[in-house]
Amino acid sequence: MLFGRMMCAALAVASLFLAVDGPAVAHRASTQGVLTQIERGQWLLKERLGSERKICFTAPVNFIQIGHGNAPCDQFVIGQDQRSTTISYTCSGHGKGRTTVTVETPRLVKIETQGVLDGAPFEQEYEARRIGACS
């Protein structure tokens, strides 16, 4: 009986939080906000360990899911301010990740990403610079 009352009270408190704030901890990722400041085009990504690679930035997913590529993933914004955004994503059957993109200028971006890709963990940091138009 006491357990039942405690559960009812807990559910009532939880419903108040949802009614007032909604499930505001995470929001589905949108292309609005910080990532719209980034110029589209060819980018050079320099990994902290020295390797480099080029990508054509045509959409925010190019920087959010670097390890998972264009795999269909559910994305949620878990933090954002004027210069950076942190997005958590899950790719059914391929793993998940968490990426923070910090926009220094529209042509200079810092990317920190970590997660699991096909069962293997990864963690990478990049400095990304726009180098021209996509080829």
Side-chain angles (χ1 to χ4, degrees):
M1 184 75 167
L2 180 61
F3 178 76
R5 286 185 187 161
M6 289 174 50
M7 286 301 291
C8 286
L11 289 173
V13 170
S15 66
L16 283 175
F17 282 114
L18 289 175
V20 174
D21 292 330
V25 174
H27 303 283
R28 284 211 179 268
S30 109
T31 58
Q32 302 303 313
V34 175
L35 300 179
T36 61
Q37 300 172 24
I38 302 170
E39 289 185 21
R40 304 308 194 243
Q42 188 79 26
W43 285 72
L44 178 65
L45 276 62
K46 291 184 180 182
E47 193 174 354
R48 182 176 39 150
L49 301 175
S51 66
E52 296 181 353
R53 71 184 205 181
K54 294 179 183 178
I55 68 167
C56 181
F57 179 79
T58 58
V61 70
N62 299 127
F63 284 166
I64 296 167
Q65 298 175 200
I66 292 176
H68 290 87
N70 291 326
C73 305
D74 291 325
Q75 300 176 352
F76 295 92
V77 176
I78 56 176
Q80 185 165 302
D81 61 28
Q82 293 179 344
R83 290 187 45 232
S84 69
T85 187
T86 300
I87 296 175
S88 175
Y89 62 91
T90 303
C91 308
S92 181
H94 295 288
K96 59 185 176 180
R98 175 184 170 134
T99 301
T100 298
V101 178
T102 303
V103 179
E104 302 293 336
T105 73
R107 295 173 171 241
L108 176 62
V109 174
K110 179 181 172 187
I111 303 166
E112 299 170 350
T113 186
Q114 63 182 346
V116 177
L117 174 61
D118 295 329
F122 68 88
E123 181 176 12
Q124 299 160 326
E125 287 184 31
Y126 295 98
E127 177 186 88
R129 291 185 182 271
R130 187 178 186 280
I131 56 175
C134 293
S135 49

